């Protein structure tokens, strides 16, 4: 929903880099092909409507994410998949998934450690790649991912603290699982 919010506020796709590890809209378990809503029992908003995905499937990897933040991508990577920022750029990063103490998972098998993330932001800062960063992490034990981030003008928000779980909320009877968690549900009500 953050993607849709940014688009509604006038941010063009050229200023948004979207990484989606799986194609939920076309997943056989999805009873409404092409439609994905974050909220149980609802079909709106369709968060996959008019979405430009920059990294999908196996392209969503720890290496690609860290290289993206550092600006150290292979020359063959298209400009649309690069973080083209400077010292006046304001950056928003939102990650959602499974996490633990000082890590967040990508593709359920690889992790980004708090140390790796801290080093990536140090490099981004050293090259003058931003003015301000807001990083939102939504997972179990989300906040410790910022333990090694020590750069100026960086704000980290985590949906949970160390040893705290980000429990699912509600239940979608058609899918047989929940599609949201308490953090997103509270945000929806605000």
């Amino acid at each position: 929903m953050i993607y849709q919010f940014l688009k509604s506020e006038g941010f063009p796709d050229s200023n948004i880099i979207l990484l989606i590890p799986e194609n939920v809209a076309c997943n056989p378990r999805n009873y409404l092909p092409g439609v994905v809503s974050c909220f149980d029992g609802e079909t709106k908003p369709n968060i996959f409507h008019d979405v430009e995905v920059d990294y999908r499937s196996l392209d969503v990897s720890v290496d690609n994410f860290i290289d993206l933040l550092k600006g150290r991508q292979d020359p063959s990577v298209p400009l649309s998949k690069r973080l083209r920022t400077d010292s006046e750029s304001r950056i928003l990063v939102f990650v959602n998934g499974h996490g633990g103490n000082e890590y967040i998972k990508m593709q359920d098998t690889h992790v980004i450690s708090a140390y790796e993330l801290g080093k990536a932001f140090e490099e981004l800062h050293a090259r003058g790649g931003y003015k301000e960063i807001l990083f939102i992490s939504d997972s179990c034990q989300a906040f410790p991912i910022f333990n090694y981030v020590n750069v100026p003008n960086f704000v980290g928000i985590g949906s949970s603290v160390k040893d705290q779980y980000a429990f699912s909320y509600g239940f979608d009877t058609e899918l047989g699982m929940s599609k949201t968690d308490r953090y997103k549900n509270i945000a929806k009500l605000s």
Side-chain angles (χ1 to χ4, degrees), residues 26-46:
C26 296
N27 187 304
R29 290 181 68 187
N30 186 352
Y31 55 94
L32 293 169
V35 176
V36 177
S37 172
C38 292
F39 303 105
D40 299 326
E42 297 182 22
T43 59
K44 292 184 180 179
N46 179 4

Side-chain angles (χ1 to χ4, degrees), residues 31 37-42 169 172 175 177-181:
Y31 55 94
S37 172
C38 292
F39 303 105
D40 299 326
E42 297 182 22
Y169 182 89
D172 187 298
L175 282 178
M177 62 188 283
S178 179
K179 295 191 298 186
T180 193
D181 58 33

Side-chain angles (χ1 to χ4, degrees), residues 49-64:
H49 175 71
D50 196 28
V51 173
E52 186 177 307
V53 179
D54 298 292
Y55 290 83
R56 65 181 74 240
S57 190
L58 297 178
D59 287 339
V60 180
S61 69
V62 172
D63 290 340
N64 282 345

Side-chain angles (χ1 to χ4, degrees), residues 2 92-96 134-138 146 155-158 183:
I2 288 178
L92 168 66
V93 179
F94 174 79
V95 295
N96 175 260
L134 172 60
F135 192 119
I136 303 170
S137 178
D138 181 16
F146 308 123
V155 174
I157 298 174
Y183 184 70

Side-chain angles (χ1 to χ4, degrees), residues 127-144:
R127 72 174 175 86
Y130 72 94
K131 180 176 185 174
E132 299 171 323
I133 296 176
L134 172 60
F135 192 119
I136 303 170
S137 178
D138 181 16
S139 69
C140 293
Q141 303 189 62
F143 199 78

Side-chain angles (χ1 to χ4, degrees), residues 1-42:
M1 291 185 50
I2 288 178
Y3 176 88
Q4 285 72 20
F5 173 76
L6 293 173
K7 294 282 292 208
S8 73
E9 292 298 310
F11 288 86
D13 273 312
S14 60
N15 287 12
I16 302 171
I17 299 176
L18 184 61
L19 296 81
I20 298 185
E22 58 185 297
N23 190 348
V24 178
C26 296
N27 187 304
R29 290 181 68 187
N30 186 352
Y31 55 94
L32 293 169
V35 176
V36 177
S37 172
C38 292
F39 303 105
D40 299 326
E42 297 182 22

